[in-house]
Amino acid sequence: MGIQRAADLLSAARRGLAFTGAGVSAESGIPTFRGEGGLWTKYDPVKVSSIDSFLADPASYWQVSKERGGIALAAKPNPGHVALAALEARGNLVAVVTQNTDGLHKDAGAKCVIELHGSGRKVQCLECGSLEARRDVQARLDVEMPPRCRACGGPYLKPTVVLFGEPMPSDAIREAYALAEQADVMLVVGSSLVVYPAAEIPLVAVRAGARMIVVNAEPTPFDGFAEVVIHGRSGEVLPEILSLIGA
Ligand code: NAD
């Protein structure tokens, strides 16, 4: 029922917009933060993911980030990412706004991807500003902790992701708000919808008149605003929606 209704809404959409969170990458093997098996059942988020703790002790940050970075770099898009890219290619979505930093939407072929929390594929030196591929930094973590900047030798090499206590990139926020204000269908996938200001985006769309579809493994605080709520795995639900639209 819900899947057919979601397919109907998306096939009639003229400016459909997807908003995704860590759940869409769970089936690629990247642990979420919250929800069953989420990383925050193991770590204190402020200790491991805030700018203050990074600056105080970059080595401890990298000890935790080493494992997660390795998993994210090795991950491949799953059928959920592929279905979203196909919905964009068909014109049912105009863009994907994501909280994820793993790069998997683009790897799946999505063209217009707004990364609200930056990208984990690059690392930047906070002292001299030089950029390096995360893959190259990752490769030397066994022998260098914290990793040092290749240009200036400084110890503050930070992935180009938004840590707690840092502002979101203003261009990404502006673009995401503009897309949300113009959206007629808002497809929310794999997000607990508790991280602000990112979680504002679907609300902006709904306030501007968009009809909302939520696909998530567990209930979210926005389920009450949605026209369709599907509790399931995005790697299964999204390909089903796509195949109904295709049919
Ligand atoms: P979250 O971890 O808070 O919530 C993830 C949600 O996804 C949960 O509600 C969970 O029930 C649901 N979920 C789990 N598996 C699913 C599946 N297979 N299909 C559908 N839903 C599933 O994630 P969030 O809302 O994105 O917010 C947390 C922050 O975590 C974000 O800011 C993001 O930057 C960051 N993060 C990113 C990654 C990544 O890049 N892959 C991974 C972990 C965390």
Side-chain angles (χ1 to χ4, degrees):
M1 267 310 276
I3 290 178
Q4 182 63 58
R5 184 84 191 106
D8 292 345
L9 285 176
L10 281 164
S11 51
R14 301 174 71 88
R15 292 199 55 86
L17 181 64
F19 175 86
T20 68
V24 78
S25 296
E27 288 157 83
S28 294
I30 303 178
T32 58
F33 273 2
R34 298 175 192 76
E36 213 187 317
L39 286 171
W40 287 2
T41 55
K42 294 192 215 155
Y43 305 117
D44 173 347
V46 179
K47 277 204 184 126
V48 300
S49 293
S50 76
I51 185 66
D52 288 347
S53 58
F54 171 80
L55 292 173
D57 185 0
S60 295
Y61 172 87
W62 279 103
Q63 290 293 357
V64 175
S65 194
K66 182 177 164 182
E67 184 192 342
R68 275 171 47 200
I71 293 170
L73 287 172
K76 300 273 178 279
N78 67 55
H81 297 106
V82 173
L84 288 172
L87 288 170
E88 184 195 16
R90 293 182 89 269
N92 305 107
L93 294 174
V94 294
V96 178
V97 174
T98 188
Q99 299 170 89
N100 296 345
T101 57
D102 56 36
L104 294 181
H105 286 301
K106 284 184 192 159
D107 288 353
K111 299 278 181 278
C112 185
V113 181
I114 318 293
E115 292 175 315
L116 289 176
H117 293 158
S119 165
R121 297 268 173 96
K122 286 197 183 119
V123 172
Q124 185 160 37
C125 172
L126 297 187
E127 287 172 295
C128 76
S130 66
L131 286 163
E132 204 181 339
R134 169 69 182 253
R135 202 172 283 285
D136 295 343
V137 175
Q138 190 74 20
R140 60 179 190 267
L141 291 178
D142 283 336
V143 292
E144 196 177 80
M145 190 60 84
R148 298 262 165 184
C149 173
R150 281 293 180 253
C152 75
Y156 296 108
L157 276 186
K158 188 183 88 67
T160 54
V161 299
V162 177
L163 297 182
F164 282 96
E166 289 191 294
M168 297 208 295
S170 53
D171 286 0
I173 273 284
R174 212 174 305 120
E175 250 184 294
Y177 268 78
L179 286 161
E181 275 156 11
Q182 294 157 10
D184 53 2
V185 174
M186 180 78 238
L187 171 63
V188 178
V189 186
S191 176
S192 61
L193 295 169
V194 297
V195 177
Y196 282 84
E200 277 282 337
I201 303 295
L203 289 182
V204 167
V206 169
R207 276 190 220 117
R211 299 160 92 177
M212 184 156 73
I213 303 163
V214 174
V215 176
N216 201 61
E218 296 168 49
T220 79
F222 293 3
D223 287 4
F225 304 121
E227 192 156 326
V228 181
V229 177
I230 302 168
H231 291 147
R233 291 154 65 92
S234 49
E236 293 163 8
V237 173
L238 295 176
E240 282 182 51
I241 293 175
L242 176 66
S243 74
L244 286 176
I245 293 177

